């Protein structure tokens, strides 16, 4: 472009110079031929005029010359030479005067037409010469530059590319070196080679770390996997593939392909939980039974996934694990069974301690029934029985018999063995019934039992028998703690609403316990009583926790103790 612009500038200058030369030639014609043409035209010497006109035509770039006499005659003298052009690029007309003395007379007009053809031809030749010269020069310079660049740079870059094509991260490679004499100081190619070698070392280290991580993921004791944002698995380690007998291509074929191993009864729940997590872009978890391909046995698994996002919060992957929890499930079931058996044993032990008071309580309605029966027999022996009195006595007999049956039913339920039977319960009713059941035993040791139960408490969901067992255990423990205490002996059972829970507190004025034992007293086989089993409070806390609640104690050595239990409402928001 620079060469082209300079060439155009040069051609323009040459053009302006040639045009000015034509203008100058016109001026020379005016000064050189005016006088001779004036004399020849005055004398009407046509031959001389013709020679002069042809002489002017021979001048450079003159195409046409015409000398015309200025006269009123019908046939003026006209002398021409050359070819006339319709629109000449340049035309000059010179007036020819004849001077005689002081008088001047216009006797003719000389018209000279110039052409630029020669100028254009010269410019074209000049341009061609310049362009050819510049092309040769440019080619030579470019060839030299290309040769130099190839010799110094390109062949080495090509060699680097050829070497890089054969590099493999999975094997050891020699460092990249250029086949040339070492340059001093190091140039850009040396920096490039060194940068590549550093990058190669970093990539190889990263690849080794990645291979180690992949190996660890493949042999973890749990199945590890990742999901694309649309839920399609893109990585599943060997643990799951061997367990389910699936291939990696199969699991990648569809988001739900891996679910073919899930138990049919769990599949609908698994699909729902899976897609809810994927569509919401949130963590998700679910427990399902999956078929083990080796023996066709379904085992429980815990599926958990967390979300991996970039710095801008865009979801990149779901990263998850599948953990075999079948043995844990079986252990939990065995533990629940053992806890149930232990709770039953504890109930039997507790009821053994209450046998005397329960017998006394049952004796009262039986005695009342016998008394009313005696009244009935006496009334029937009369000549005129009082049927109204007899009816009242019979009603009292029915009432006492029903009371005895209720007491026996309640006692029997404490010994029954069964699974957790949840129902909607009034916790105050359970507390009142337990206090009524144990009031006689408390009175035997001169212990007063007082209740402060809040009214209009919401109901709870739970097992009546187990909750009665907890209340009985706490009150019996308080009785046992205070039966040999000098001074005030009192048990207070309180209930109140705290947020969305019911809080029950059982307080006594016994010897208490050091506060540093507040958690230890709930440990299995830990007891402060000489003849205690150390399981009552452990079982009581297990029952409360199985109901979604919490149990704890506050004690002060020598100043009594308070046991608290908190249970959630049956209906959220009541």
């Amino acid at each position: 472009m620079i060469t082209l612009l300079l060439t155009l500038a040069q051609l323009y200058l040459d053009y302006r110079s040639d045009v000015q030369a034509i203008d100058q030639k016109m001026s020379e014609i005016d000064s050189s031929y005016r006088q001779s043409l004036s004399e020849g035209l005055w004398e009407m010497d046509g031959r001389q005029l013709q020679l002069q006109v042809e002489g002017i035509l021979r001048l450079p770039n003159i195409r046409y010359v015409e000398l015309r006499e200025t006269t009123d005659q019908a046939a003026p003298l006209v002398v021409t030479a050359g070819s006339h052009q319709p629109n000449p690029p340049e035309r000059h007309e010179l007036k020819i005067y004849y001077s005689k003395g002081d008088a001047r007379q216009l006797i003719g007009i000389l018209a000279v037409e110039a052409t630029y053809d020669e100028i254009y031809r010269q410019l074209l030749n000049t341009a061609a010469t310049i362009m050819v010269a510049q092309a040769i020069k440019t080619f030579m310079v470019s060839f030299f530059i290309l040769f130099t660049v190839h010799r110094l740079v390109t062949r080495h870059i090509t060699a680097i590319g050829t070497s890089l094509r054969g590099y493999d991260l999975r094997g050891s490679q020699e460092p990249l070196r250029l086949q040339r004499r070492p340059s001093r100081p190091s140039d850009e190619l040396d920096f490039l080679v060194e940068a590549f070698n550093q990058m190669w070392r970093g990539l190889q280290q990263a690849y080794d770390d990645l291979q180690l991580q992949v190996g660890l993921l493949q042999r973890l004791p749990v199945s590890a996997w990742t999901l694309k944002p649309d839920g399609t698995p893109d990585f599943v380690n060997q643990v799951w593939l061997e367990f389910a007998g699936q291939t990696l291509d199969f699991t990648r074929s569809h988001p739900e392909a891996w679910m073919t191993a899930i138990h049919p009864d769990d599949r609908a729940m698994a699909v729902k939980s899976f897609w809810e997590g994927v569509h919401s872009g949130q963590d998700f978890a679910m427990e399902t039974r999956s078929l083990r391909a080796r023996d066709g046995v379904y085992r429980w698994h815990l599926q958990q996934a967390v979300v991996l996002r970039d710095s801008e919060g865009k979801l990149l992957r779901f990263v998850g694990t599948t953990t075999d929890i079948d043995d844990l499930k079986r252990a939990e079931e065995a533990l629940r069974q053992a806890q149930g058996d232990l709770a039953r044993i504890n109930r039997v032990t507790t009821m053994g301690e209450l046998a005397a008071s329960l017998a006394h309580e049952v004796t009262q309605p039986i005695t009342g029934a016998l008394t009313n029966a005696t009244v009935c027999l006496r009334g029937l022996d009369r000549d005129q029985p009082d049927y109204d009195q007899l009816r009242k006595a019979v009603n009292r007999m029915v009432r006492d018999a029903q009371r005895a049956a209720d007491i026996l039913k309640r006692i029997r339920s404490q010994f029954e063995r069964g699974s957790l039977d949840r129902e909607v319960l009034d916790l105050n009713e359970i507390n009142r019934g337990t206090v009524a059941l144990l009031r006689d035993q408390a009175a035997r040791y001169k212990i007063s039992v007082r209740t402060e139960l809040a009214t209009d408490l919401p109901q709870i969901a739970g097992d009546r028998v187990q909750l009665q067992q907890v209340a009985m255990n706490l009150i019996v423990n308080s009785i046992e703690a205070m039966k040999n205490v000098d001074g005030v002996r009192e048990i207070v059972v309180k209930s109140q609403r705290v947020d969305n829970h019911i809080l029950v507190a059982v307080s006594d004025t016994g010897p208490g316990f050091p506060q540093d034992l507040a958690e230890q007293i709930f440990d299995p086989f830990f007891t402060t009583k000489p003849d205690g089993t150390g399981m009552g409070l452990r079982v009581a806390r297990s029952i409360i926790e199985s109901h979604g609640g919490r149990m704890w104690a506050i004690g002060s050595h020598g100043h009594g103790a308070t046991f608290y239990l908190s249970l959630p409402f049956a209906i959220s928001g009541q």
Side-chain angles (χ1 to χ4, degrees), residues 438-511:
L438 299 174
R439 193 177 295 277
D440 187 72
Q441 181 180 355
R444 184 185 309 169
Y445 298 107
K446 298 180 181 180
I447 298 173
S448 65
V449 181
R450 181 165 51 89
T451 59
E452 297 179 5
L453 307 178
T455 60
D456 300 328
L457 288 180
Q459 293 180 316
I460 65 169
D463 185 284
R464 180 184 298 273
V465 174
Q466 289 193 354
L467 294 177
Q468 285 176 340
Q469 177 186 348
V470 173
M472 184 176 293
N473 186 283
L474 295 179
I475 295 175
V476 169
N477 282 349
S478 295
I479 293 173
E480 290 291 327
M482 290 189 297
K483 64 183 180 180
N484 296 320
V485 170
D486 294 332
V488 178
R489 302 177 184 179
E490 183 181 41
I491 299 174
V492 181
V493 180
K494 297 182 180 180
S495 67
Q496 59 180 321
R497 176 173 180 165
V498 178
D499 296 331
N500 60 342
H501 284 66
I502 295 178
L503 179 65
V504 177
V506 179
S507 304
D508 63 53
T509 56

Side-chain angles (χ1 to χ4, degrees), residues 105 122 147 186 218 224 232 238 240 251 320 337 378 430:
Q105 180 182 354
Q122 292 178 358
F147 176 78
S186 299
Q218 290 290 359
T232 304
Q238 199 64 27
W240 171 260
T251 58
Q337 185 69 29
R378 290 176 181 175
I430 294 176

Side-chain angles (χ1 to χ4, degrees), residues 259-478:
M259 295 187 189
T260 56
I262 293 179
H263 195 285
D265 295 342
D266 300 341
R267 197 167 299 164
M269 178 276 296
V271 170
K272 181 175 181 293
S273 300
F274 176 81
W275 286 116
E276 284 180 354
V278 171
H279 291 155
S280 64
Q282 302 297 325
D283 302 348
F284 62 90
M286 55 187 170
E287 291 184 3
T288 61
R289 288 168 290 177
S290 301
L291 181 66
R292 185 165 59 187
R294 183 177 71 248
D295 52 11
V297 174
Y298 283 97
R299 293 182 63 83
W300 281 99
H301 285 85
L302 173 62
Q303 322 275 356
Q304 294 177 296
V306 296
V307 177
L308 180 64
R309 302 181 183 275
D310 61 15
S311 58
E312 298 179 356
K314 181 181 178 182
L315 193 151
L316 300 177
R317 286 289 187 280
F318 289 92
V319 180
T321 58
T322 299
T323 307
D324 190 323
I325 59 171
D326 195 78
D327 295 335
L328 179 62
K329 281 277 190 180
R330 296 179 187 275
E332 289 178 349
E333 183 62 31
L335 179 60
R336 281 194 295 269
Q337 185 69 29
Q339 287 178 338
D341 294 341
L342 186 60
R344 178 173 171 273
I345 293 171
N346 184 262
R347 287 200 300 270
V348 172
T349 303
T350 302
M351 293 305 296
E353 296 175 356
L354 300 175
S357 60
L358 293 175
H360 176 75
E361 187 169 345
V362 174
T363 301
Q364 288 180 346
I366 292 176
T367 301
L370 291 174
T371 301
N372 287 310
T374 302
V375 171
C376 286
L377 291 175
R378 290 176 181 175
L380 291 173
D381 290 339
R382 294 177 184 176
D383 295 335
Q384 295 181 351
D386 187 349
Y387 292 106
D388 290 337
Q389 292 295 330
L390 292 175
R391 186 178 293 106
K392 291 179 181 179
V394 171
N395 288 334
R396 289 194 295 271
M397 289 171 58
V398 172
R399 182 198 63 191
D400 292 337
Q402 184 63 48
R403 179 184 172 195
D406 291 342
I407 293 173
L408 291 175
K409 180 180 179 181
R410 189 166 67 243
I411 295 171
R412 182 181 178 183
S413 68
Q414 297 292 328
F415 291 90
E416 290 178 348
R417 176 180 181 181
S419 59
L420 188 64
D421 185 12
R422 289 188 181 272
E423 57 181 310
V424 178
L425 302 172
D426 183 346
L427 195 56
N428 282 345
E429 179 185 346
I430 294 176
N431 289 329
R432 291 190 190 97
T434 306
V435 169
L437 188 64
L438 299 174
R439 193 177 295 277
D440 187 72
Q441 181 180 355
R444 184 185 309 169
Y445 298 107
K446 298 180 181 180
I447 298 173
S448 65
V449 181
R450 181 165 51 89
T451 59
E452 297 179 5
L453 307 178
T455 60
D456 300 328
L457 288 180
Q459 293 180 316
I460 65 169
D463 185 284
R464 180 184 298 273
V465 174
Q466 289 193 354
L467 294 177
Q468 285 176 340
Q469 177 186 348
V470 173
M472 184 176 293
N473 186 283
L474 295 179
I475 295 175
V476 169
N477 282 349
S478 295

Side-chain angles (χ1 to χ4, degrees), residues 42 55 79 83 95 171 202 220 268 333 395 400 507 548:
W42 179 260
V79 179
S83 301
K95 294 180 179 181
L220 282 175
E333 183 62 31
N395 288 334
D400 292 337
S507 304

Side-chain angles (χ1 to χ4, degrees), residues 60-98:
N61 301 316
I62 303 300
R63 176 63 63 85
Y64 176 72
V65 181
E66 178 186 281
L67 179 62
R68 181 179 296 272
E69 179 187 9
T70 303
T71 179
D72 295 335
Q73 296 179 4
L77 176 64
V78 178
V79 179
T80 62
S83 301
H84 176 63
Q85 302 177 68
N87 295 305
E90 191 164 349
R91 177 186 173 92
H92 289 264
E93 292 185 352
L94 304 176
K95 294 180 179 181
I96 306 299
Y97 294 93
Y98 181 75

Side-chain angles (χ1 to χ4, degrees), residues 144-354:
F144 177 75
I145 293 174
L146 290 174
F147 176 78
T148 304
V149 170
H150 170 76
R151 184 66 182 173
L152 299 179
V153 179
T154 307
R155 68 188 185 99
H156 296 301
I157 294 178
T158 303
I160 292 174
T162 303
S163 300
L164 297 185
R165 191 178 297 118
Y167 268 62
D168 187 355
L169 290 173
R170 292 171 295 184
S172 60
Q173 300 288 340
E174 291 293 327
L176 181 63
R177 292 186 178 89
L178 295 179
Q179 299 299 323
R180 64 170 186 171
R181 292 191 301 274
S183 58
R184 293 292 183 272
S186 299
D187 58 14
E188 291 82 354
L189 286 176
D190 293 323
F191 292 133
L192 176 63
V193 170
E194 181 59 29
F196 171 78
N197 287 331
Q198 290 181 357
M199 182 186 68
W200 164 253
R201 289 190 290 270
L203 285 175
Q204 195 166 43
Q205 181 63 42
Y207 180 79
D208 292 341
D209 295 342
L210 182 61
Q211 288 296 103
L212 177 61
Q213 294 173 10
V214 171
L216 292 175
L217 287 175
Q218 290 290 359
R219 291 302 171 188
L220 282 175
V222 299
S223 172
W225 39 267
T226 61
L227 306 176
K228 296 178 182 178
D230 65 352
T232 304
D234 58 350
F235 170 78
V236 181
N237 73 348
Q238 199 64 27
V239 175
W240 171 260
L241 298 180
E242 293 177 355
F243 177 89
Q246 297 176 348
T247 64
L248 183 58
D249 291 338
F250 174 76
T251 58
R252 287 175 172 174
S253 62
H254 190 271
E256 296 182 16
W258 65 275
M259 295 187 189
T260 56
I262 293 179
H263 195 285
D265 295 342
D266 300 341
R267 197 167 299 164
M269 178 276 296
V271 170
K272 181 175 181 293
S273 300
F274 176 81
W275 286 116
E276 284 180 354
V278 171
H279 291 155
S280 64
Q282 302 297 325
D283 302 348
F284 62 90
M286 55 187 170
E287 291 184 3
T288 61
R289 288 168 290 177
S290 301
L291 181 66
R292 185 165 59 187
R294 183 177 71 248
D295 52 11
V297 174
Y298 283 97
R299 293 182 63 83
W300 281 99
H301 285 85
L302 173 62
Q303 322 275 356
Q304 294 177 296
V306 296
V307 177
L308 180 64
R309 302 181 183 275
D310 61 15
S311 58
E312 298 179 356
K314 181 181 178 182
L315 193 151
L316 300 177
R317 286 289 187 280
F318 289 92
V319 180
T321 58
T322 299
T323 307
D324 190 323
I325 59 171
D326 195 78
D327 295 335
L328 179 62
K329 281 277 190 180
R330 296 179 187 275
E332 289 178 349
E333 183 62 31
L335 179 60
R336 281 194 295 269
Q337 185 69 29
Q339 287 178 338
D341 294 341
L342 186 60
R344 178 173 171 273
I345 293 171
N346 184 262
R347 287 200 300 270
V348 172
T349 303
T350 302
M351 293 305 296
E353 296 175 356
L354 300 175

